[in-house]
Amino acid sequence: MKLHQLQGYIQCVYLVEYPEGLLLLDGCCRADIDMLKLFITEELSRPFNDLKLVVVTHMHPDHAGAAHKLRALTGCKIASAKTTTHWYRGVGGRLLHLTDLLLAGWVAGRLGKPRKNLWYSPFLYPDFELNDGEVLPYFAEWRTVTTPGHTDRDISLLHIPSNRMYVADLIVKVKNRFIPPFPVFHPNQYRASLQKVIGMQLDALWLAHSGEVNLSTSEYEHLTTVAPRLPQTPWRATKIKAKLWLRSRK
């Protein structure tokens, strides 16, 4: 197994290379497709359709945005958490999808990236739906670990031989501190997911935006302390700011 960590549009891209095929640990941004194709065909000297499996850990633009297009281009399969509903369902879901696209564009601007088309379907149609503890199709060294909280369907991917895990957006690093992501839609589930990861005693974590890290006991304690106890979502944040603005006008 060889893990390639590539710089994506607004996140790290983890491409796992095996002689028998390639595994993409998350569905990337739509803007990452050309970069990924160039790396596979030029740097690895492999056909693009050696990409066998794309995992979507959750539905945000930098984790699901390229999945359907990659399947159309390469014939790869898509795997994600087993769920009964779409994340961006209903009118509220479609508004949330647009909000998340705008937030991804804002992040790209903060990073100095050129504006690109990030549009992708709000509805994911995976080939494989995975439960907690299931191994990945085609790649038996990897196991699914459910870690919801950021959304209701987040999964992490454990590389069993190295005792390292890709945790997507479960943890982010800002100004050299490890903190919870924004948003956290399900705070109770988020805190339970943190305890689950702590209890696994992993040798290292792969973060979607900060590469490989190894958190100390004190850093895990800090995360646990600052983990939200109420939902932290774009709409809730906007509502709070609006209330504060109205109070300041009185």
Side-chain angles (χ1 to χ4, degrees), residues 78-96:
I78 298 173
S80 67
K82 186 175 180 61
T83 60
T84 58
T85 60
H86 291 292
W87 173 244
Y88 292 119
R89 61 191 178 274
V91 175
R94 298 305 294 273
L95 290 173
L96 182 58

Side-chain angles (χ1 to χ4, degrees), residues 111-182:
L111 294 173
K113 297 296 182 70
R115 185 176 299 178
K116 292 191 176 183
N117 181 11
L118 299 180
W119 177 263
Y120 67 108
S121 172
F123 306 128
L124 185 71
Y125 298 97
D127 300 285
F128 303 105
E129 293 185 306
L130 304 171
N131 292 305
D132 188 41
E134 286 192 69
V135 298
L136 293 187
Y138 316 130
F139 299 97
E141 288 188 344
W142 295 83
R143 180 162 61 86
T144 307
V145 179
T146 54
T147 50
H150 180 46
T151 72
D152 67 352
R153 63 199 63 210
D154 299 68
I155 57 175
S156 297
L157 303 172
L158 173 67
H159 183 239
I160 301 168
S162 69
N163 197 37
R164 286 166 163 77
M165 190 159 72
Y166 174 66
V167 296
D169 283 347
L170 181 72
I171 300 168
V172 298
K173 189 176 183 181
V174 177
K175 296 181 179 179
N176 293 318
R177 294 302 300 267
F178 294 103
I179 62 172
F182 178 84

Side-chain angles (χ1 to χ4, degrees), residues 3-5 12-16 23-25 166 206-207 211:
L3 179 67
H4 301 281
Q5 182 180 320
C12 299
V13 175
Y14 294 93
L15 181 69
V16 188
L23 164 67
L24 191 61
L25 295 188
Y166 174 66
W206 291 305
L207 307 186

